[in-house]
Amino acid sequence: MADPGSVLPVTVPAPSAEQRGPARWRDPAVALLAVAVAVVLLLIGLAIAGYAPTDVASTWLSGALGSGVRRALSLQEAGPLLMTGLAVAIAFRAGALNIGGEGQFLLGSVAMIACGTAFRIPGPAWFATIVALTAGALAGAAWAGLAWALERWRGVPLVLSTILLNFIAVYAVSLLVHGVLQDPLTVAPQTAEIPEGMRLPVLATGSKLHLGVAFAAALAVALWLVFERTVFGFELGVVGMNPSAARLAGMPVARRRFEAMLLSGGVAGLGGAFQQAGVTYYMSDSSASYGYAGVAVALLGRLHPLGVAAAAVFFGMLDTGSRNLERVMDVPHDLGDVAKGLAVLAVLVAAAVFFRQARVEAS
Amino acid sequence: MIRLEGIGKSFASARALDDVTVEFAASSVHGLLGENGAGKSTLMNVLFGLLRADTGSIVIDGKPARIASPADARAHGIGMVHQHFTLVPTLSVVDNLALAAQAGLGQVPRPAWRARLRALAEPLGWRIDPDVRCGELAVGEQQRVEIVKALAVGGRALILDEPTAVLTPSEALELFSALRGLTARGTAVVFISHKLAEVEAICDRVTILRRGRVVHAGPLAGLTRERMTELMVGAPVETVRKPPTRLAGEMVVEARALTVAGRGVEAAVGDATFMVRAGEIVGVAGVEGNGQRELVRALLGLERPRTGELMVAGAALHRGEVPDRARLGIIPDDRRHEALVLPLSVTRNLLLGEHRRKPFAIAGWLRFSRWRARAAELAGAYDVRAASLGQPVSSLSGGNQQKVVVARELHGGPRLVVAVNPTRGLDIGATAFVMSRLVQARELGAAVLLVHSDLDELLGIADRVLVMCAGRLVDSGWPVAGRDAVARLMMSVDASTHAATGEPAHG
């Protein structure tokens, strides 16, 4: 099995609870500093292009945080990113490079839509919702499990199989949306809406900030505890950092990686189901690419569940803020994506520089 | 004449070199001694341009020299052979030579480099096939290529970092005679080693470092081994004493006609039959890469034997399962990659393997207060020196890292101990510590299988010695047969044959 560090510039961070005093804050401080550098670079670039940096910053901030609704919209946007980001963090922690969040998210979405439109689930609507959410999680887990099985029995690297399974998922969804799941009342390639009873409660009026986002936040805290405080989380980290030592220490390496993949796929799939039940209510054949963005979110958050949560909120703010920028100042909203890319790059470079220095000192 | 003057170097955590002044005269072999962390490697990295000193200067033939990179060092005719070889295994000897000179392939005609290779190797009494790929060479031959590579830059000075660690006793002797040939032609050789017998055999002058300072510099003559050890450690070291061999007890490992696959078609271990009983230390001697690795992997359940029977502690082994880990002590060859999780703290590394047992985990939740208490207890009993047990294990010296492994693996009274090169890279004090703990494990009734490439250390504590050569395991007859008989068995097949068993040099 490949050493994850050699494929992607990822290092599983040591548990933060271990380090006391200033060392404990070093990792988040490095990440914050890198993000700040990225933002400054971006503003300099915009200044060169003729936009006053102060105007850009204030317009962006008011767009992201200016009112209660705006704040809710930023969090709403952070929701799916948090789910896919946590999914990536779980898998990467165990050294399983699951880049398949996109496919797992889509399959979770489709499972929710199918349960809400095509199948009739008996019982009250809340029961149907829970069944549909569970189906979403299972669909994502199964898709991830398939990639794991390909590696386990056929030697296909996870990075490869998960990416390729993304394409299959995208076209499978397209097939369904054009076929059995297509809304009979339209000619457009889109599904019918799920019934109102199955939609997730909205937490803030004027937005679709739904219960699923709160669940995602709770999941981040729960995962933090699991990673730092449980046998399972400890073994997951050791398997990711050093599989050879893990095996010699008697840990079931293959099983832990399998569990990590299932959990990861399940979280991504559940994220997709949430998004359908909480925000879109129907599917078309275009994707918002939350799965791929999840990789960036996880890396920006240094694979730490709380860091991932912070990164997801930051990305959510970038989205709503840059939409406001386009409206007010006519700056293309793609700027938000540029900012995301720069931030992730800055954090990866900072981490690489920082860890190299630490390595040299250690030797 | 190379003179390092007043060299000082600090890392964030510690002062590695403190006002070190040394001279390496031409035409002599200069021993550089010291415990791990004494500053030998740092000093040589400064001379070779891999590290920049904070203070001090380098003077070559009376003129100040600025060495900021290995390229600068090479320009001054200084070559270095590292412990870990830096040859490209898929390139030929000649191409490796050209590559090292940064000539770029294609720019320099190969015939010229062939001639250069011959000119450098022949005076040393070596014949090296210029067109064979380096990956196909035996370890000793690879080292020769490394030395030629280091000499190709001019041959003013040659730095050798523990060069004999990978050699058989007779290969080491050949290396020494080649070094004599070099000094006769004016080269200054810097010889870094832990093995005092070798230092006595080859060095003219000796510099001893302790905690970043020079504690002795002068001719070898008049220095006893005891005195050198004392200077290095700062206190007299007692030698490991082995209590007399007792009657060995029940069978713990029993292998019959064991065959283990290697990387190629050929089996890495062929038809091995042996046993290890409780209360004895069975040594496996041999040059590295003769199947020891595969033998151990089979023993630990990491590899399924192709044929044969293997019983460990009364149970037949299945692939992918480490046999009853609680009663097994494993000291693997590569502690950094196989035993320790470097980013994790000393505490967590000490509890690795025991982490899911009560009272360290209850109902799946980790009880770190218990971890800390146990770690403190183990660190005390096994003399692990760390500023804090919460610091990453990667920040410890090699000797202390190995003590962490030894503490973790031996403290529970294992039934079987499997140790592979357990003293590699350790200084005298740490080596004595590890060996005495292995003897102690035997006294407590463990069956100990010690696979070790250092023959003298192995013979020092083993009750019986098997020799592994080209995948074959032979009982050497030790201790009835003497050291020479064991050494001869190690080389019963010549170098070209064991290069073909499919295990290229590692380490």
Side-chain angles (χ1 to χ4, degrees):
Chain A
M1 274 166 221
D3 167 17
S6 63
V7 184
L8 275 184
V10 179
T11 38
V12 179
S16 57
E18 276 266 73
Q19 301 150 349
R20 289 165 194 287
R24 187 171 179 173
W25 299 106
R26 209 157 48 180
D27 208 45
V30 168
L32 269 183
L33 198 69
V35 170
V37 169
V39 169
V40 168
L41 280 178
L42 196 69
L43 289 178
I44 291 174
L46 283 169
I48 292 169
Y51 300 96
T54 49
D55 291 353
V56 172
S58 65
T59 312
W60 176 76
L61 269 179
S62 75
L65 302 171
S67 68
V69 173
R70 293 265 162 87
R71 286 193 285 275
L73 283 173
S74 292
L75 287 180
Q76 172 196 320
E77 199 55 29
L81 293 169
L82 180 48
M83 293 298 281
T84 53
L86 289 175
V88 170
I90 295 164
F92 277 28
R93 231 186 146 81
L97 293 179
N98 178 15
I99 316 289
E102 183 70 15
Q104 292 141 21
F105 185 89
L106 281 176
L107 283 198
S109 303
V110 126
M112 164 58 77
I113 295 290
C115 288
T117 60
F119 306 131
R120 256 172 224 291
I121 298 164
W126 61 264
F127 175 73
T129 311
I130 289 177
V131 169
L133 289 173
T134 311
L138 289 178
W143 208 235
L146 181 58
W148 181 86
L150 282 171
E151 180 182 78
R152 180 77 178 75
W153 284 293
R154 281 277 158 266
V156 184
L158 273 181
V159 185
L160 210 61
S161 60
T162 50
I163 289 180
L164 295 176
L165 284 170
N166 286 344
F167 290 109
I168 296 178
V170 166
Y171 289 111
V173 165
S174 180
L175 197 68
L176 291 171
V177 167
H178 282 97
V180 292
L181 287 182
Q182 187 171 11
D183 184 355
L185 303 180
T186 89
V187 288
Q190 63 182 49
T191 68
E193 291 198 348
I194 58 172
E196 294 212 9
M198 284 182 71
R199 297 176 190 176
L200 294 173
V202 168
L203 303 177
T205 43
S207 73
K208 284 181 178 169
L209 178 58
H210 55 86
L211 200 59
V213 179
F215 179 91
L219 182 64
V221 175
L223 278 177
W224 175 47
L225 281 177
V226 167
F227 285 168
E228 304 261 335
R229 292 271 165 229
T230 67
V231 170
F232 175 72
F234 177 69
E235 293 196 350
L236 224 53
V238 170
V239 164
M241 286 185 260
N242 190 340
S244 310
R247 190 167 295 124
L248 278 186
M251 293 183 191
V253 174
R255 205 175 114 200
R256 286 286 170 271
R257 281 165 58 96
F258 179 55
E259 288 159 352
M261 277 303 279
L262 285 190
L263 199 56
S264 170
V267 169
L270 184 58
F274 276 154
Q275 188 68 4
Q276 306 310 318
V279 179
T280 59
Y281 309 143
Y282 75 96
M283 278 183 93
S284 68
D285 66 349
S286 74
S287 160
S289 298
Y290 287 117
Y292 288 116
V295 180
V297 167
L299 293 181
L300 187 61
R302 308 277 304 120
L303 305 188
H304 188 294
L306 301 186
V308 174
V313 170
F314 177 61
F315 271 34
M317 285 166 56
L318 279 177
D319 279 328
T320 48
S322 54
R323 252 177 261 137
N324 196 47
L325 263 183
E326 185 170 59
R327 228 168 12 243
V328 177
M329 294 181 69
D330 207 21
V331 180
H333 74 265
D334 300 315
L335 187 73
D337 292 339
V338 176
K340 288 176 192 168
L342 268 181
V344 173
L345 209 57
V347 168
L348 288 182
V349 168
V353 169
F354 183 76
F355 281 108
R356 168 172 301 176
Q357 200 176 342
R359 254 201 316 273
V360 169
E361 276 172 23
S363 69
Chain B
M1 159 86 78
I2 296 172
R3 187 177 157 85
L4 291 128
E5 231 171 59
I7 301 289
K9 175 78 191 171
S10 295
F11 295 111
S13 43
R15 190 146 185 78
L17 291 175
D18 189 4
D19 191 24
V20 170
T21 298
V22 272
E23 277 184 7
F24 302 123
S27 303
S28 68
V29 180
H30 209 104
L32 190 58
L33 301 182
E35 291 207 285
N36 287 330
K40 295 169 310 211
S41 303
T42 310
L43 186 66
M44 287 305 104
N45 285 338
V46 167
L47 177 58
F48 196 58
L50 288 167
L51 284 174
R52 197 93 60 98
D54 300 333
T55 59
S57 57
I58 300 172
V59 180
I60 295 177
D61 289 342
K63 278 173 279 186
R66 191 179 155 278
I67 297 182
S69 72
D72 290 346
R74 283 194 277 263
H76 284 288
I78 300 171
M80 181 160 177
V81 177
H82 297 270
Q83 258 184 68
H84 304 280
F85 294 159
T86 55
L87 299 170
V88 183
T90 51
L91 290 183
S92 70
V93 171
V94 144
D95 288 350
N96 264 290
L97 214 57
L99 189 67
Q102 296 181 333
L105 304 181
Q107 281 179 30
V108 174
R110 288 210 174 90
W113 277 104
R114 285 202 184 89
R116 186 117 175 77
L117 174 66
R118 233 185 351 264
L120 288 165
E122 255 168 23
L124 303 176
W126 295 342
R127 284 177 52 88
I128 303 176
D129 180 349
D131 297 310
V132 69
R133 281 189 293 171
C134 283
E136 290 164 21
L137 293 174
V139 183
E141 294 172 305
Q142 294 196 15
Q143 187 179 55
R144 291 177 178 182
V145 176
E146 283 281 6
I147 289 174
V148 168
K149 216 172 86 178
L151 291 174
V153 299
R156 182 194 302 277
L158 176 68
I159 307 167
L160 300 169
D161 192 358
E162 297 198 33
T164 56
V166 294
L167 302 181
T168 61
S170 73
E171 279 177 324
L173 288 179
E174 285 171 39
L175 172 70
F176 291 165
S177 76
L179 293 183
R180 280 287 156 229
L182 276 178
T183 52
R185 289 186 301 149
T187 301
V189 175
V190 182
F191 185 83
I192 303 176
S193 180
H194 287 309
K195 300 181 190 171
L196 298 179
E198 292 175 357
V199 171
E200 280 184 334
I202 182 74
C203 293
D204 304 307
R205 296 181 62 84
V206 173
T207 298
I208 300 178
L209 292 176
R210 186 166 81 228
R211 290 185 190 165
R213 304 184 75 105
V214 177
V215 291
H216 176 87
L220 175 82
L223 265 186
T224 61
R225 280 190 211 184
E226 289 72 25
R227 180 67 188 138
M228 284 194 269
T229 308
E230 222 177 296
L231 284 166
M232 283 161 61
V233 181
V237 172
E238 36 184 312
T239 47
V240 180
R241 243 179 263 280
K242 192 185 65 160
T245 306
R246 297 177 311 184
L247 217 54
E250 45 154 355
M251 202 88 84
V252 178
V253 175
E254 203 176 346
R256 284 190 199 289
L258 194 68
T259 303
V260 187
R263 285 192 202 153
V265 231
E266 225 171 314
V269 180
D271 201 18
T273 297
F274 67 98
M275 55 202 65
V276 188
R277 293 168 179 276
E280 68 170 352
I281 297 180
V282 174
V284 176
V287 178
E288 277 180 36
N290 274 281
Q292 295 96 323
R293 198 182 114 86
E294 288 78 5
L295 180 71
V296 169
R297 283 180 63 82
L299 206 59
L300 298 181
L302 298 176
E303 191 118 34
R304 195 205 298 262
R306 203 186 270 171
T307 58
E309 278 172 54
L310 181 59
M311 306 280 282
V312 175
L317 271 188
H318 303 287
R319 187 174 59 136
E321 259 170 51
V322 177
D324 190 15
R325 191 64 180 86
R327 306 300 311 280
L328 182 64
I330 306 174
I331 304 174
D333 196 8
D334 185 346
R335 61 179 159 267
R336 295 170 63 86
H337 291 109
E338 293 175 299
L340 298 171
V341 185
L342 292 175
L344 288 184
S345 67
V346 177
T347 299
R348 292 191 185 201
N349 273 286
L350 278 168
L351 269 291
L352 204 63
E354 214 177 5
H355 61 278
R356 51 164 73 233
R357 244 172 278 153
K358 276 184 185 169
F360 306 112
I362 290 178
W365 290 84
L366 303 172
R367 303 272 306 263
F368 285 121
S369 56
R370 298 302 183 95
W371 287 43
R372 282 190 286 271
R374 164 56 67 87
E377 179 193 316
L378 285 179
Y382 286 80
D383 193 30
V384 175
R385 287 181 205 169
S388 137
L389 296 181
Q391 72 188 92
V393 78
S394 60
S395 64
L396 301 191
S397 70
N400 278 306
Q401 288 182 355
Q402 189 72 329
K403 285 179 186 171
V404 169
V405 178
V406 169
R408 184 179 76 202
E409 299 299 327
L410 299 189
H411 78 89
R415 205 165 159 206
L416 170 65
V417 176
V418 178
V420 184
N421 294 325
T423 64
R424 165 173 294 177
L426 301 191
D427 54 43
I428 297 173
T431 296
F433 181 87
V434 170
M435 293 309 236
S436 69
R437 291 301 173 138
L438 288 176
V439 171
Q440 190 189 51
R442 181 193 80 157
E443 292 310 292
L444 294 173
V448 180
L449 186 76
L450 172 61
V451 179
H452 204 8
S453 56
D454 185 314
L455 185 57
D456 291 307
E457 283 181 15
L458 181 78
L459 297 181
I461 68 166
D463 299 306
R464 292 193 292 127
V465 175
L466 311 174
V467 172
M468 193 138 205
C469 185
R472 301 266 153 193
L473 204 55
V474 189
D475 196 320
S476 69
W478 172 270
V480 179
R483 182 188 186 282
D484 289 346
V486 180
R488 260 199 310 280
L489 267 177
M490 283 169 69
M491 289 167 298
S492 53
V493 180
D494 68 17
S496 60
T497 321
H498 72 68
T501 54
E503 183 79 345
H506 51 83

